[in-house]
Amino acid sequence: MKKIEAIIRPESLSAVKSALDELGYPGMTISDVKGHGKQKGLEQIWRGRKYKVDFLPKLKLEIVVVDEDLSKILNAIIREARTESIGDGKIFVYDVIDAIRIRTGEYGDNAI
Ligand SMILES: Nc1ncnc2c1ncn2[C@@H]1O[C@H](COP(=O)(O)OP(=O)(O)OP(=O)(O)O)[C@@H](O)[C@H]1O
Ligand SMILES: [Mg+2]
């Protein structure tokens, strides 16, 4: 199992969510986060003065998938979240040791 942590634009959530649902992954965790990447936020001009916005609102999507589905899920997230402008986001992938569905006691792939 792999855990995908995708930091995406909040606006792209509904398209990403529908794509994941269609691929058989209705379960996911979403959090509101703030961050910045290479550009370290951005500068905005308001009434002629410059203001630095250090951290921009992003959305963190966490989803655990079986190994065989990793690349198709990654491709779907990339396809739906990409606008080709800076700040589209970033994806991190982790190994997952185990998963348990609490209600049934199922483990591993069966628990996803
Ligand atoms: N190295 C990193 N570690 C952890 N989080 C990161 C890292 N880089 C980016 N992020 C998170 O991802 C969000 C989006 O990053 P962003 O898309 O701006 O990356 P970037 O490297 O600057 O690429 P781009 O040039 O396309 O903007 C950031 O707001 C931050 O929350
Ligand atoms: Mg950036």
Side-chain angles (χ1 to χ4, degrees):
M1 288 171 289
K2 298 280 189 280
K3 176 174 161 183
I4 300 169
E5 188 180 290
I7 315 291
I8 58 173
R9 296 181 191 278
E11 312 87 87
S12 68
L13 175 64
S14 86
V16 170
K17 191 179 65 157
S18 311
L20 298 182
D21 204 358
E22 272 170 31
L23 292 171
Y25 282 92
M28 66 190 72
T29 302
I30 299 292
S31 333
D32 288 315
V33 295
K34 285 184 181 174
H36 64 214
K38 251 188 346 203
Q39 293 80 16
K40 302 187 227 165
L42 49 79
E43 266 188 356
Q44 283 185 340
I45 297 177
W46 189 67
R47 294 191 174 171
R49 291 182 63 175
K50 276 188 187 170
Y51 291 87
K52 182 120 176 64
V53 182
D54 261 346
F55 295 102
L56 298 168
K58 298 283 171 183
L59 204 140
K60 181 169 76 175
L61 181 152
E62 293 167 87
I63 177 168
V64 175
V65 303
V66 301
D67 289 355
E68 311 84 270
D69 290 341
L70 178 65
S71 55
K72 76 174 183 189
I73 299 295
L74 288 176
N75 290 336
I77 296 171
I78 295 163
R79 188 184 68 232
E80 301 300 338
R82 178 181 280 162
T83 68
E84 297 185 359
S85 300
I86 57 170
D88 272 352
K90 210 159 270 191
I91 302 177
F92 305 101
V93 179
Y94 308 82
D95 278 320
V96 172
I97 296 168
D98 215 343
I100 301 145
R101 176 173 286 113
I102 293 174
R103 175 176 59 86
T104 57
E106 294 163 286
Y107 274 74
D109 286 0
N110 292 329
I112 295 177

